[in-house]
Amino acid sequence: MKLFVSLMTIILLSVFVSSCGKSPQEDHSYESQAIQEQLKGTMNLNKLDLNVELTWLKGPFGDPAFESSFLMIVRDNKGEIKSLDPKYHFYINAWMPSMGHGSAYDGDTEQSSTGVYLHRDLYFNMPGDWEVYIDVYEGEELIDSTKLRIDL
């Protein structure tokens, strides 16, 4: 009986010790780094003659439990940082074409300084192929749009 209890104790301790540390749900840095490598570049808002550089601050994560957020830097065709005309505003939304649905929550965009915009609280529902649309509106009218394709 003592041998059985000793064996069970060893098995339970080894299971406990091997499960300690960060779980994959806690540490998404490995996937985030790989995804960020594929996301380098600039998108064009052709009608407004502006470029948008996107830099991920958190994520992107293919898990609705984790917030994804990014900075957008807007530049004109001369490369100078420039804010959107005050009559315009960004609207960001994510769409998963293979599944036919959007994200759990698209988040909010706010201007943090001249030509620099923070988008936070974007929650992707699951891993897979996504399109992140960066739209510029004047009131309810779509003025310009660009999209980023990512595979989470």
Side-chain angles (χ1 to χ4, degrees):
M1 184 67 167
K2 285 184 181 180
L3 179 61
F4 177 74
V5 171
S6 296
L7 285 173
M8 289 305 292
T9 303
I10 291 170
I11 291 171
L12 287 174
L13 282 174
S14 66
V15 168
F16 177 76
V17 169
S18 68
S19 67
C20 290
K22 288 187 176 182
S23 74
Q25 292 174 334
E26 293 172 0
D27 183 10
H28 286 272
S29 61
Y30 63 92
E31 71 182 33
S32 178
Q33 281 182 319
I35 291 167
Q36 286 185 21
E37 287 299 314
Q38 75 175 348
L39 298 180
K40 289 184 178 179
T42 301
M43 295 160 289
N44 298 318
L45 293 168
N46 294 323
K47 293 176 187 169
L48 295 174
D49 203 20
L50 297 172
N51 299 314
V52 178
E53 297 172 18
L54 190 142
T55 302
W56 291 95
L57 301 175
K58 295 181 188 175
F61 301 118
D63 184 332
F66 298 97
E67 174 194 8
S68 297
S69 63
F70 55 84
L71 276 179
M72 293 183 292
I73 299 175
V74 178
R75 295 181 188 271
D76 63 16
N77 60 3
K78 296 175 188 168
E80 296 178 23
I81 296 176
K82 182 175 183 172
S83 293
L84 288 180
D85 186 301
K87 65 183 177 182
Y88 300 136
H89 65 274
F90 280 110
Y91 176 72
I92 311 297
N93 67 72
W95 182 255
M96 189 176 205
S98 64
M99 299 296 284
H101 63 74
S103 63
Y105 184 68
D106 287 325
D108 299 298
T109 304
E110 65 183 46
Q111 186 171 358
S112 58
S113 63
T114 301
V116 180
Y117 298 83
L118 171 63
H119 188 79
R120 59 178 161 209
D121 295 327
L122 175 59
Y123 291 88
F124 295 99
N125 295 28
M126 62 182 64
D129 60 315
W130 286 91
E131 295 174 342
V132 178
Y133 289 86
I134 300 172
D135 299 334
V136 177
Y137 279 83
E138 180 179 2
E140 299 295 317
E141 181 184 353
L142 178 63
I143 302 300
D144 210 340
S145 183
T146 188
K147 74 179 168 184
L148 173 69
R149 290 187 175 108
I150 54 177
D151 189 22
L152 302 178

